[in-house]
Amino acid sequence: MTSGKWDNAALDAAMERRGFRPRRSPWIRRAVRELPRHRFAPDRLWRWDGWNGEGSRAYVPLDREVEAGRWAAEVYAGPDEPAVTQVRDGLAATAALTRA
């Protein structure tokens, strides 16, 4: 994040530096630059904390309304840094792999 604003420009620049630009797909660059990621992220994300205080590794929740700055840092971490949206049995999970 830059100056408290959602920073799509930094993601766009990082993708440019790393060569993540398919020449035949200019719409990708426009989408990264113009679509705010935070509008598509859930209100709760999970950040890797490393340790849970009991000697084991853990994800900790980040709620948009409680820790907006840290939450946004997870959303805008980088072009190849995923934001963990679900944790199951202590491991990062995806909606497609989560059972009801």
Side-chain angles (χ1 to χ4, degrees):
M1 258 177 29
T2 304
S3 304
K5 295 182 180 178
W6 308 113
D7 200 354
N8 283 30
L11 286 174
D12 184 50
M15 290 178 77
E16 179 68 30
R17 281 191 308 275
R18 298 195 48 204
F20 290 176
R21 295 288 178 229
R23 293 176 195 248
R24 290 185 262 178
S25 301
W27 63 271
I28 293 174
R29 181 178 198 144
R30 190 171 58 252
V32 168
R33 190 174 51 243
E34 295 175 8
L35 294 174
R37 282 180 144 189
H38 65 277
R39 292 183 65 191
F40 301 96
D43 289 336
R44 173 169 279 179
L45 295 175
W46 296 84
R47 182 181 58 81
W48 181 250
D49 187 284
W51 300 100
N52 68 1
E54 298 174 7
S56 60
R57 296 172 181 230
Y59 281 94
V60 294
L62 287 175
D63 292 316
R64 184 188 311 228
E65 290 188 23
V66 177
E67 297 184 85
R70 292 174 78 186
W71 180 90
E74 290 293 312
V75 172
Y76 290 94
D80 57 355
E81 298 294 328
V84 176
T85 60
Q86 295 182 1
V87 172
R88 182 178 173 155
D89 297 328
L91 301 172
T94 64
L97 297 177
T98 303
R99 297 181 187 174

